[in-house]
Amino acid sequence: MMSLCPNPNPSFLHLHHHRHRHRRRPFFVRSLDAAQSFDFESRAVDRLNAKSKLKIAVVGFGNYGQFLARTFAAQGHTLLAHSRSDHSAAAAAIGASFFRDPHDLCEQHPDVVLLSTSILSAADVLNTLPLGRLRRSTLFADVLSVKEFPRNLLLSALPPDFDILCTHPMFGPESARHGWAGLPFVFDKVRIGESEERISRCNRFLEIFEKEGCRMVEMSCAEHDHKTAESQFLTHTIGRILAKLGPEDVDIGTKGYQTLLELVQNTCNDSFDLYNGLFMYNKNATELLDRLDFAFTELKKELFGNLHDILRKQLFENPEESNELIPVTGQVQPCCWYGSLKNFILKV
């Protein structure tokens, strides 16, 4: 029987077998990384993202400054920190650079200098900064709980080329422990340059709080102080008055009473310097204390009003003929608050 392919060349068979095996080999698709050096679109996006980030110097890196800085760092901003106390470990924990010397801090040329000191120390800290080492268009912002005081301070202490943004996040580490969403953030663009770059920088700083879901409220510093005296200062005052009474947790306390205990804890967790600053640097605080005192007096008048006639009888008539409310004869002693009521009635 004749073969169709007589005496094939062995080398030919090997080559044929090799090609046949090559054709049956699995086919793999390999691609280059999309972000190559010649990928101009990707590079443009990277530049845009980098441009949206800020270099923020937090001056006053205490509890509140660290609280804000953690969110700044989470959003990818470059952080510099300065404080009179050594908080270098806390700064390193969030990737911030800590500077003990304010000259070294300013030589880093931050985009934003954020004043996060106590109200009482703000002026002293600001005076230690070598402003001449900063760029002439630097944006200064503050997060103090009063606003007219830092506004006037920054306007008087900073060169006219510096931008000024006064802000007040109306929350802290305790009230914002579950996030910033829905919490009010008040701001006043006191002095922002007209150039596109300076307007953009201010807006990028405000966007930090917008991205966290804050309720953004643009308001003048004067209006802020008027409204916070009615809310923040009043809250702190009531909390500290209750603290003076020394309320204790009881097993039959109502929900309202538990709310009062929480108010005492929340307000007294803040330093007295904060409360003192709210009083000293908000001109509306004194008026509110006067109104609070007047309101308490009016409330006492209302409470004691129903006792007025009976007590007058007991004070000015024969006690034996008028013992409707407070027995004063025999072995029964007057109520413990009788003397107080007597003095109050005599005053009014």
Side-chain angles (χ1 to χ4, degrees):
M1 183 176 180
M2 184 178 292
S3 173
L4 296 177
C5 184
N7 301 321
N9 189 329
S11 62
F12 173 78
L13 290 176
H14 175 74
L15 179 61
H16 176 76
H17 176 71
H18 175 74
R19 288 178 177 174
H20 181 68
R21 184 175 60 183
H22 179 71
R23 286 196 300 271
R24 294 173 60 185
R25 184 177 298 171
F27 182 72
F28 295 97
V29 177
R30 293 183 174 86
S31 64
L32 296 173
D33 187 352
Q36 292 297 303
S37 59
F38 50 80
D39 189 345
F40 297 105
E41 180 179 356
S42 175
R43 291 167 63 184
V45 171
D46 290 341
R47 286 196 299 269
L48 181 62
N49 290 335
K51 191 175 180 180
S52 67
K53 304 305 179 184
L54 295 168
K55 183 188 290 187
I56 305 173
V58 181
V59 176
F61 202 63
N63 184 45
Y64 196 70
Q66 294 173 32
F67 161 70
L68 294 175
R70 284 191 288 271
T71 295
F72 298 167
Q75 292 191 14
H77 299 282
T78 300
L79 289 181
L80 315 173
H82 168 67
S83 186
R84 290 179 291 186
S85 302
D86 185 5
H87 293 299
S88 54
I94 61 173
S97 300
F98 186 80
F99 298 88
R100 290 294 300 272
D101 191 324
H103 290 261
D104 295 336
L105 175 80
C106 293
E107 286 176 353
Q108 300 300 313
H109 293 163
D111 300 310
V112 181
V113 176
L114 181 65
L115 199 61
S116 182
T117 65
S118 70
I119 301 172
L120 301 180
S121 64
D124 291 338
V125 172
L126 183 61
N127 289 333
T128 65
L129 298 180
L131 303 178
R133 296 182 181 272
L134 295 168
R135 286 197 296 259
R136 287 184 299 170
S137 63
T138 303
L139 170 62
F140 266 75
D142 83 282
V143 288
L144 274 62
S145 297
V146 293
K147 291 274 66 73
E148 282 198 283
F149 164 66
R151 175 186 182 276
N152 296 335
L153 173 65
L154 294 173
L155 283 173
S156 62
L158 298 180
D161 289 332
F162 281 38
D163 289 345
I164 299 174
L165 174 67
C166 288
T167 79
H168 183 195
M170 304 291 294
F171 50 85
E174 182 65 25
S175 59
R177 61 184 181 274
H178 300 305
W180 299 3
L183 300 176
F185 177 85
V186 180
F187 65 96
D188 184 7
K189 298 178 181 179
V190 176
R191 186 173 69 196
I192 305 297
E194 297 180 355
S195 71
E196 182 179 348
E197 179 183 357
R198 295 169 75 163
I199 294 173
S200 173
R201 179 181 56 190
C202 175
N203 291 336
R204 279 181 284 151
F205 181 77
L206 294 175
E207 284 172 3
I208 295 175
F209 299 89
E210 290 180 356
K211 289 179 179 178
E212 297 300 319
C214 291
R215 180 164 58 86
M216 308 298 288
V217 182
E218 187 168 8
M219 179 184 297
S220 71
C221 293
E223 184 180 2
H224 166 277
D225 283 2
H226 174 72
K227 290 187 175 181
T228 54
E230 297 288 336
S231 58
Q232 187 181 29
F233 180 70
L234 176 62
T235 301
H236 278 260
T237 299
I238 297 300
R240 290 188 176 273
I241 289 175
L242 293 174
K244 296 292 185 183
L245 293 175
E248 298 179 356
D249 195 1
V250 294
D251 56 359
I252 58 172
T254 63
K255 289 185 177 180
Y257 185 72
Q258 291 299 322
T259 301
L260 292 180
L261 293 179
E262 292 175 4
L263 175 62
V264 172
Q265 181 179 3
N266 290 340
T267 53
C268 293
N269 277 345
D270 292 323
S271 67
F272 186 80
D273 280 351
L274 171 62
Y275 178 61
N276 194 27
L278 293 175
F279 170 70
M280 293 183 63
Y281 293 97
N282 188 340
K283 64 183 181 182
N284 304 282
T286 302
E287 178 190 356
L288 186 135
L289 286 179
D290 289 339
R291 289 166 51 204
L292 184 63
D293 185 59
F294 176 79
F296 185 56
T297 300
E298 289 297 305
L299 182 60
K300 288 192 294 184
K301 287 181 180 179
E302 186 175 349
L303 286 173
F304 297 157
N306 294 331
L307 305 178
H308 189 275
D309 293 337
I310 295 175
L311 287 174
R312 281 195 176 277
K313 289 180 181 179
Q314 292 188 338
L315 289 172
F316 303 114
E317 299 178 9
N318 187 348
E320 295 181 356
E321 298 178 358
S322 178
N323 57 358
E324 302 175 35
L325 181 64
I326 304 174
V328 294
T329 59
Q331 300 299 319
V332 182
Q333 299 298 320
C335 294
C336 61
W337 36 266
Y338 177 77
S340 298
L341 290 176
K342 175 181 175 181
N343 291 335
F344 180 79
I345 293 298
L346 290 175
K347 288 180 180 179
V348 299

